[in-house]
Amino acid sequence: MAGIPGLLFLLLLLLLCAVGQVSPSGAHWKPTWPAYRLPVVLPQSTLHLGKPDFGAEAKLEVSSSCGPQCHKGTPLPTYEEAKQYLSYETLYANGSRTETQVGIYVLSGGSGGQESSRKARRKRQIYGYDSRFSIFGKDFLLNYPFSTSVKLSTGCTGTLVAERHVLTAAHCIHDGKTYVKGTQKLRVGFLKPKFKDGGRGANSSSSAIPEKMKFQWIRVKRTHVPKGWIKGNANDIGMDYDYALLELKKPHKRKFMKIGVSPPAKQLPGGRIHFSGYDNDRPGNLVYRFCDVKDETYDLLYQQCDAQPGASGSGVYVRMWKRQQQKWERKIIGIFSGHQWVDMNGSPQDFNVAVRITPLKYAQICYWIKGNYLDCREG
């Protein structure tokens, strides 16, 4: 395993984007998960920090005026910058906090911000006809993939990505300067049906009419937030790193959805993405939606999926063919972050934005989950 010389780092990023891409062709072509040559992101040193004040107000959405063309014109990070952005803070349930510096390696032989605009945006998070679907009934809510969506006590959504891990947006627990109120006692809620007539074990979905929903909560043991999100390190590109991983105090015992490296938008089935979340205009409901990807950068996907605050942190997923196992598989390829006002040739245009799981982000998040880089060789 070798470190990456700084001058070769940009070439590596381009290579990671290119390996395994397959162009759709032929009558029997299936949208297939690409094979990527993945890097390794490993801890190098850990520093103990003081306890945060947990004084930030929870924001259920973030906004930025830097749109697709703005991001495309931004140079890719250098090797040293990438190490800085992928270094991370860990917050523990007792309020203690650490900062971990990382190294990046390859295995040898391996494979618009005006206040008036913000007010208008809140009215326009639904694009035309509201295409969201509220998911009702235990036969849907408790079954995969909808059962992987969970609610954070700070008001956001998260997705189960391992036996005791939840992927969400960084802004749901950290405002870029400090942790939000309630993060020290952060909980994750699992939606469960509450039957009015006591027919909990009945097979018929009509046995409990109507069903009301309640949450079963599990405390969070620790959280990881990349330094790229924290102000002062990558202020201008913070939205690119708007993701966080939560480790629960006990296993949740539900089926989870694995993370995967985000393929190019043109390789997505139908060019579409899917996600489910707890939009705050439909309290108690899990809301599912899908839509086309309108544009992309190396770190972000731009789309106009209907969404409201509360859905941020949702795992964006697609279903593609897994060639090695000869089966279809859903994977999380991004995290729904928020919206951006974009100046498109002098005309304001708004997009909802998802943070893409790039090869480097996959290596980092996978290590957070597994604790062993050898288990993170397949994206």
Side-chain angles (χ1 to χ4, degrees), residues 64-72 127 239-240 265 268 271 273 291-305 336 338-342 344 349-356:
S64 170
S65 58
C66 183
Q69 296 308 313
C70 169
H71 274 271
K72 290 175 183 178
Y127 297 89
M239 193 173 242
D240 295 354
L268 301 177
I273 57 172
C291 67
D292 296 342
V293 174
K294 300 296 184 181
D295 206 343
E296 65 181 324
T297 65
Y298 182 75
D299 285 286
L300 301 174
L301 290 174
Y302 294 84
Q303 32 78 18
Q304 291 183 328
C305 281
F336 178 59
H339 70 271
Q340 291 185 344
W341 278 100
V342 180
M344 304 287 285
Q349 174 71 57
D350 59 336
F351 292 92
N352 279 331
V353 182
V355 177
R356 298 178 68 178

